[in-house]
C-alpha cells in the first residue's frame, strides 16, 4: 500500500489501473487477447491439471496439464499409479499414501497433500494434490477425482519448506559429526571403520560405498558397506585403467556422476557380470586428492535412480576432500607406527633357546590404538647347569623412550641372569642399573629360574603380576608370591629387596607370565581380568601355540586393548621315566625370628598347589613344632624339606634337619606346663613319624596321607 486512501473498485475494475507493472515476454504463445480458453487450457496456464482414479480398475487418468505438472511424456505413463515412481521419490509417495489412508480411515470425502517430484533435469519442485473421494451406496470408495498443481512458489515461506531446511540442517550436523570422527581417526583401519560402521554410508547421503587406494600403479579396494553382496575378488585389486569406475576416477582425477545402474554398466561393461551386487540407483565416483596427489577414490551408491543436483555434487566433493585428508594422515600414521613397532621388535629376542623337558612360546602385541609403542618385554635365557631363566616386564610409559629403556634393561637383566645369580640378586642389580640410567622411568618385572628336570621354580618379582600355573587336570592356581617395589623405585627408596619364592611345576603343567595389558580393561577392576584369564586357560586348548593364540585374540585383540601386551607360556613335558618327586627345601636361620612364619607361608602355597586339602593344616602345625624344637634345643638353624611321595595313596613327607646329635625325647607335660607338647602334636597329626641320623646331626620326619579327592 502507498499510504493514500484507495476507493473500492467499481464495475470497471482493472487490476492494472494506477499500479506499477513490468512488461513480460509471454511464455504461452498461441493465446490471443480475444480467443476463448477452455477449462483444461485455463488449468494448464496455471500449472494445474486433473486426474481421475478408478479404484476398482486401478487406472488413473491424467490430463495433459497433470502430465505437465509431473514432467511426463505420454510414452512415459501407462495409466498405472505406480508409473509415477519415476517422478515421485519413495519418501514422498509415502507422504501421499498416508494422507489418503488417513482420509479413508476417518471417512472423509476429500484429502490433500504437498509432496516433491523429481523433474527430468534432476531438480525437485513442490506439488500439491487435492482429491474428492466418491463412495457407492454401501459407503465403499470407488473413485477419486482431483487436481494436481505446482506449489513451489506457494511454499517458499511455508512451514513445510522450513521443515525441509531443518532436514538439511540435520544432514549438515551429520556431515559435521562424520568429519569430526574422521579427524579423530588415527590409522587407515580407523578411517574404514568410520566409513563402514552402522549408518556410515548414510552420513554421505548414500546407501552404499566403496573405498579404494592407489598402490604402485595398482588400485585396491579396502572398504565396502551397504552393497547387496561381497565385492568379487577380481574387483578388489585392479590395474589403474579405465575399465572400472574407481580406478578410472583415480587415474583421471575427475569425478563421475551417473544416474542409474544401467548407465553405470553402459559406461563400464566390465561390471555387467556383477549386476546383482550393484544398487539400481545413481552413483558417484570421487577422486581422493591430498596435497595434489591422488591417493584413491570413493564410490557412493544409491538405491533409487536420480540425477544428482549441483548442491548434492558439491557436498559429495567436499566430503571426499575430508576423506582424502583423513586417509593421507592415517597412512602416514601407519607408516610411523610400523617403523616404531618394528624398531621395538628388534629389541626383543628373535629366537628362543631350546628347552630340554619343556616347551615355551611367547606373544607380544603393541597397543591396538594410539601412536606410541610401549615398554613391555619378555625373555627366555639359557642358564648354567641346564636351567632356564624366564622374564616378563613392563617399563613405565607408552612412547619411544619407554621402548629404549626397555631395550637397555632387558640386556642388563639378561647379563646378570646369565652369570647364574639367584633371582633376588638379578632383580637387585637390575634395579640399581635402572636407577643409574638417565631416566625417571621405573619398571615392573617377574623373573623365574626354572629347572625343568626337577620342576623346581625359584622366582622373584618387582611390582609385577605373579605367575599362573595350570596342571594336567586343568586346575588353575595363582600361587602367592612375595614381591618388592618396581625396579628403579626400589633402589631410590632404599628397599631393593626382592624375596625369593620356591614353587614346583609338575609334569604336564603349564606356567603363564604376562603383563597387565592382558588383564586390565578400562572400567573394570583387575580382578575381573584375572578371572577371565583363568577361565580362558582352564577352558582353552592344551596345545601351547593354540592357547597363546586364543589368549591373544580373545582377551587382548577382541576388546581392542589400549595397552601393549607380553605373554609367556612354559609347559613342562611328562618325563620318559618315573615322575620326579616334587620337593620344597627351605632354611631357617637360628637368629631369624621371622623364619618360621616365612616357612609356614611357603608351605601353604606349596600344599595348595599339591591340593593337600585338610591335611595341609596338620603339616603346617607339625612343621612349626619341629622347627621350634630345632631352634630352641640346638644351636644351629633348621633345614626344612617337604616332598610329595609317588604312589597311591598320595603321601607327603616332612623333614626338619638340624646339626645337633642330641636325640629328641617325648615327654608327658602336666596341665600347667608351658612346653613339651610338640612331639605329642606331631604324633597325633602324622600317620608315621620318627628320627634318623644325618651326618653331624639328625632329621625328624613325619608322613601324612592325602585323602582321595582332596582339593
Amino acid at each position: 500500500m502507498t499510504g493514500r486512501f484507495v476507493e473500492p473498485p467499481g464495475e470497471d475494475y482493472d487490476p492494472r489501473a494506477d499500479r506499477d507493472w513490468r512488461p513480460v515476454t509471454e511464455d504461452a504463445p498461441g493465446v490471443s487477447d480475444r480467443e476463448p480458453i477452455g477449462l483444461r487450457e485455463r488449468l494448464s496456464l496455471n500449472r494445474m491439471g486433473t486426474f481421475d482414479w478408478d479404484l476398482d480398475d486401478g487406472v488413473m487418468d491424467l490430463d495433459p496439464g497433470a502430465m505437465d505438472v509431473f514432467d511426463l511424456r505420454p510414452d512415459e505413463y501407462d495409466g498405472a499409479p505406480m508409473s509415477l515412481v519415476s517422478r515421485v521419490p519413495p519418501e514422498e509417495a509415502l507422504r501421499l499414501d498416508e494422507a489418503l489412508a488417513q482420509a479413508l480411515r476417518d471417512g472423509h470425502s476429500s484429502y490433500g497433500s504437498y509432496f516433491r517430484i523429481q523433474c527430468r533435469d534432476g531438480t525437485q519442485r513442490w506439488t500439491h494434490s487435492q482429491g474428492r473421494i466418491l463412495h457407492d451406496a454401501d459407503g465403499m470408495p470407488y473413485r477419486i477425482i482431483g487436481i494436481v498443481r505446482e506449489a513451489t512458489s506457494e511454499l517458499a515461506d511455508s512451514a513445510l519448506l522450513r521443515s525441509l531446511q531443518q532436514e538439511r540442517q540435520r544432514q549438515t550436523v551429520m556431515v559435521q559429526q562424520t568429519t569430526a570422527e574422521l579427524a579423530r581417526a588415527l590409522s587407515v583401519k580407523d578411517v574404514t571403520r568410520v566409513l563402514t560402521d552402522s549408518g556410515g554410508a548414510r552420513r554421505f547421503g548414500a546407501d552404499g560405498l566403496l573405498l579404494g587406494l592407489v598402490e604402485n600403479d595398482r588400485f585396491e579396494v579396502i572398504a565396502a558397506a551397504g552393497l547387496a553382496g561381497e565385492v568379487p575378488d577380481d574387483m578388489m585389486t585392479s590395474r589403474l585403467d579405465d575399465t572400472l569406475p574407481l580406478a578410472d576416477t583415480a587415474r583421471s582425477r575427475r569425478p563421475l556422476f551417473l544416474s542409474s545402474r544401467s548407465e553405470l554398466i553402459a559406461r563400464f561393461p566390465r561390471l555387467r557380470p556383477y549386476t546383482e551386487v550393484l544398487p539400481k540407483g545413481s552413483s558417484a565416483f570421487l577422486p581422493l586428492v591430498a596435497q595434489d596427489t591422488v591417493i584413491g577414490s570413493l564410490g557412493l551408491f544409491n538405491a533409487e535412480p536420480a540425477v544428482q543436483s549441483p548442491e548434492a555434487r558439491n557436498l559429495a566433493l567436499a566430503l571426499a576432500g575430508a576423506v582424502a585428508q583423513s586417509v593421507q594422515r592415517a597412512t602416514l600414521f601407519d607408516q610411523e607406527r610400523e617403523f616404531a613397532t618394528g624398531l621395538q621388535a628388534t629389541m626383543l629376542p628373535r629366537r628362543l633357546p631350546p628347552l630340554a623337558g619343556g616347551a615355551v612360546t611367547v606373544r607380544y602385541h603393541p597397543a591396538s590404538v594410539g601412536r606410541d609403542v610401549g615398554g613391555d618385554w619378555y625373555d627366555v635365557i639359557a642358564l648354567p647347569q641346564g636351567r632356564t631363566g624366564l622374564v616378563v616386564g613392563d617399563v613405565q610409559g607408552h612412547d619411544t623412550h619407554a621402548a629404549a629403556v626397555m631395550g637397555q634393561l632387558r640386556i642388563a637383566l639378561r647379563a646378570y641372569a646369565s652369570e647364574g645369580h639367584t633371582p633376588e640378586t638379578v632383580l637387585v642389580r637390575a634395579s640399581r642399573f635402572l636407577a643409574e640410567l638417565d631416566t625417571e622411568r621405573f619398571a615392573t618385572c617377574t623373573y623365574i629360574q626354572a629347572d625343568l628336570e626337577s620342576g623346581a621354580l625359584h622366582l622373584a618379582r618387582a611390582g609385577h603380576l605373579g605367575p599362573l600355573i595350570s596342571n594336567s587336570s586343568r586346575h588353575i592356581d595363582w600361587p602367592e608370591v612375595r614381591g618388592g617395589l618396581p625396579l628403579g623405585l626400589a633402589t631410590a627408596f632404599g628397599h631393593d629387596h626382592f624375596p625369593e619364592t620356591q614353587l614346583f611345576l609338575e609334569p604336564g603343567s603349564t606356567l603363564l607370565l604376562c603383563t597387565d595389558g592382558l588383564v586390565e580393561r578400562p572400567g573394570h577392576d583387575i580382578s575381573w581380568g584375572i578371572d577371565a584369564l583363568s577361565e580362558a586357560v582352564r577352558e582353552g586348548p592344551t596345545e601351547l601355540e593354540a592357547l597363546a593364540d586364543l589368549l591373544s585374540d580373545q582377551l587382548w585383540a577382541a576388546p581392542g586393548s589400549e595397552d601393549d601386551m607380553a605373554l609367556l607360556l612354559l609347559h613342562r613335558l611328562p618325563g620318559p621315566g618315573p615322575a620326579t618327586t616334587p620337593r620344597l627345601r627351605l632354611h631357617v636361620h637360628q637368629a631369624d625370628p621371622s623364619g618360621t612364619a616365612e616357612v609356614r607361608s611357603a608351605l601353604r602355597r606349596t600344599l595348595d598347589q599339591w591340593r593337600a586339602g585338610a591335611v595341609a593344616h596338620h603339616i603346617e602345625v607339625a612343621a612349626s613344632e619341629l622347627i621350634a624344637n630345632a631352634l630352641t634345643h640346638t644351636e644351629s638353624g633348621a633345614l626344612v624339606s617337604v616332598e610329595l611321595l609317588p604312589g597311591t595313596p598320595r603321601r607327603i613327607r616332612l623333614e626338619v634337619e638340624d646339626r645337633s646329635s642330641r636325640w629328641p625325647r617325648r615327654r608327658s607335660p602336666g596341665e600347667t606346663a608351658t612346653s613339651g607338647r610338640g612331639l605329642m602334636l606331631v604324633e597325633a597329626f602324622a600317620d608315621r613319624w620318627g628320627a634318623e641320623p644325618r651326618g653331624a646331626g639328625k632329621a625328624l620326619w613325619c608322613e601324612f596321607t592325602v585323602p582321595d579327592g582332596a582339593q
Side-chain angles (χ1 to χ4, degrees), residues 109-126:
S109 296
S110 64
Y111 74 96
S113 178
Y114 288 93
F115 60 97
R116 288 173 297 180
I117 65 170
Q118 186 86 21
C119 296
R120 191 181 311 280
D121 61 1
T123 61
Q124 289 188 340
R125 68 185 181 205
W126 284 102

Side-chain angles (χ1 to χ4, degrees), residues 677-694:
R677 296 185 177 85
L679 292 182
M680 293 179 62
L681 289 173
V682 171
E683 185 178 34
F685 286 147
D687 296 305
R688 299 173 56 225
W689 76 282
E692 59 187 40
R694 291 286 173 84

